[in-house]
Amino acid sequence: MNPDISQHEEWFAAYAARERAREHGDPAPMDLKLKHTMAVLDNARRMAESEGFAPALARACLLAALYHDVARFEQYLRYHTFRDRESCNHGLLGVKILKREARLAGEDAATRKIVLAAVGLHNRFVLPAHLPRETELAAHVVRDADKLDILRVMDEHLGGPGPYSPTVVLNLPDDPALAGQAVLRAALEGRVAAYADLRSVNDFRVLLNTWFFDMHFAASRRQFVEDGHARRLLEGLPSNAVYGPARAALLARLDGADARG
Ligand SMILES: [Fe+2]
């Protein structure tokens, strides 16, 4: 049984609506963040349930999932971008907002600590070593749940009719001649590829699939395969000499995970 966080969900919906109303330009990117948040919360619920977390930890995980991107609205209003490098760290801004709005005042001290840490850490490339166990678990739930929904967003976008939105593809050129060797190497070696090594949209398809190596829970790995987004993103790659080996290796990985159930 999952904990009831409906009061937090109600606050979040009202907050998102209030922030949206302050936007004088196109509010569509904020709508996408609201949809993303609810999908991440759904993913987190599945993980907490299948991992059989104790109720207090499950509650912290769900709150962290709900609030992980709370800063996206203020970030967009202020800077009109979701790129942290060009604006602010949205994980840390989220922590500030949660404190300012006293969102966790009704929770116990342990829950508050876990939620704030997981929100603040959710967008780091890697988690710091030696986190308290429950904080680490909650951070992994949010990070896995977040990545699974980014796969959905990217598959829906790259599977649709072009041209691609520059914002969604991180301003990368859709040029099959441009390949990031470090990204392809990471894929073949079973490591997560780094954003900094991306050269093209095709590299991005590869990078998204390398997230499989960073999925922390069996339930996340299962969903990674079952959702079908990862596979479709790979199938969009050319089977040429450059991308063929990484494409085949990653597809085989998905098939293997499938066979293992
Ligand atoms: Fe985020």
Side-chain angles (χ1 to χ4, degrees), residues 68-69 72 90 122-123 146:
H68 82 285
D69 264 355
R72 288 305 201 179
H90 76 277
H122 88 271
N123 54 338
D146 195 17

Side-chain angles (χ1 to χ4, degrees), residues 22-100:
R22 295 171 57 203
E23 170 58 30
H24 299 301
D26 180 13
M30 297 166 98
D31 296 339
L32 292 180
K33 286 298 173 194
L34 180 57
K35 187 177 173 190
H36 167 69
T37 292
M38 299 328 285
V40 170
L41 178 57
D42 256 9
N43 294 345
R45 279 204 169 96
R46 288 197 228 181
M47 277 170 227
E49 206 155 309
S50 85
E51 289 296 313
F53 288 159
L57 176 58
R59 181 175 182 85
C61 290
L62 299 195
L63 290 175
L66 174 68
Y67 288 132
H68 82 285
D69 264 355
V70 68
R72 288 305 201 179
F73 303 93
E74 277 196 33
Q75 182 184 35
Y76 189 75
L77 280 173
R78 262 198 248 169
Y79 305 102
H80 285 96
T81 181
F82 292 132
R83 288 168 73 104
D84 282 14
R85 260 188 306 161
E86 293 163 15
S87 54
C88 62
N89 180 325
H90 76 277
L92 297 181
L93 179 57
V95 171
K96 258 194 215 165
I97 294 173
L98 292 177
K99 288 181 176 168
R100 186 188 72 206

Side-chain angles (χ1 to χ4, degrees), residues 54 56-57 60-61 110 114 131-139:
L57 176 58
C61 290
I114 295 171
L131 288 172
R133 181 172 159 70
E134 296 206 318
T135 300
E136 189 179 36
L137 285 170

